[in-house]
Amino acid sequence: MTTGSELKNQFLVAMPSLDDEHFEQTVTFLCEHSDQGALGLVINRPSDLSVANMLGHMNVPCERNLEKDPVFWGGPVQPERGFVLHTVGTTWESTVQVSEHLAITSSRDILEAIGLGNGPEEYLITLGYAGWDAGQLEEELLHNAWLNTPADRQILFSTAPPERWEASLKLLGVDLTVLSGDAGHA
């Protein structure tokens, strides 16, 4: 059983057997994990909203072509709240460093910088988050709902969203054909 912040800066990879419409085939980046609970951002569910559209709705200037950059569904909790998961560099008004290389920011100043081309080198914007009460995530891990693995920057920022779940399973050496019972079938 995990304790403390052992799962912080890890991917939670939904097992194929996880039958929950919110988390089926998701990869969640765990930003915080403590005795009080856990907070993560789903990184492989792009919404229909582009970064450019979101900035426009917020009256944030956008001088870059961000029409193809999606805003991700970060989880079912507070879907009106935005988070930017990004590489470390500049510190913004509301930044929490998660690891040596990654931080999350929830203040408007980072969005203004992104719109003007002065933002972090790599970033991912989500609306909402996934949250677990004290002991809830540990219980779900014991019941094999999730696998966990250290976060991978390549998967976070360079792998296409539809490929992130399978790529995360591969980090663990998991063969989907074995998990799904298709092994040996032609």
Side-chain angles (χ1 to χ4, degrees):
M1 187 130 141
T2 59
T3 59
S5 62
E6 291 176 24
L7 296 176
K8 183 177 180 178
N9 192 36
Q10 298 255 331
F11 285 155
L12 291 178
V13 186
M15 287 291 289
S17 59
L18 181 62
D19 187 24
D20 178 321
E21 67 180 300
H22 294 297
F23 295 107
E24 183 177 358
Q25 293 191 356
T26 59
V27 179
T28 302
F29 175 77
L30 207 55
C31 304
E32 188 58 53
H33 179 238
S34 71
D35 293 339
Q36 285 76 46
L39 180 142
L41 303 173
V42 175
I43 63 154
N44 67 325
R45 290 247 175 110
S47 71
D48 293 333
L49 184 64
S50 73
V51 172
N53 288 339
M54 182 192 75
L55 295 177
H57 290 304
M58 297 177 66
N59 295 316
V60 172
C62 185
E63 297 178 0
R64 300 175 53 213
N65 182 2
L66 300 174
E67 288 296 329
K68 292 186 179 180
D69 293 358
V71 172
F72 288 80
W73 176 84
V77 183
Q78 293 186 336
E80 72 285 353
R81 187 167 178 202
F83 298 90
V84 181
L85 174 61
H86 58 89
T87 50
V88 172
T90 303
T91 299
W92 311 95
E93 288 177 23
S94 183
T95 297
V96 175
Q97 193 160 335
V98 177
S99 73
E100 180 181 348
H101 303 288
L102 296 170
I104 56 169
T105 298
S106 58
S107 52
R108 183 182 174 98
D109 58 339
I110 193 170
L111 297 175
E112 292 169 349
I114 287 169
L116 297 173
N118 302 321
E121 178 184 327
E122 296 174 303
Y123 66 90
L124 183 144
I125 299 174
T126 72
L127 290 176
Y129 66 92
W132 292 265
D133 291 330
Q136 182 182 359
L137 180 56
E138 291 82 358
E139 189 70 23
E140 290 178 14
L141 285 163
L142 284 173
H143 287 95
N144 297 315
W146 305 98
L147 294 173
N148 63 292
T149 184
D152 181 275
R153 189 168 161 175
Q154 177 78 23
I155 292 172
L156 271 173
F157 300 117
S158 300
T159 303
E163 299 168 11
R164 290 177 183 170
W165 181 69
E166 191 170 336
S168 297
L169 285 171
K170 285 181 181 177
L171 285 176
L172 293 157
V174 174
D175 180 351
L176 282 177
T177 58
V178 172
L179 285 177
S180 63
D182 294 336
H185 296 279

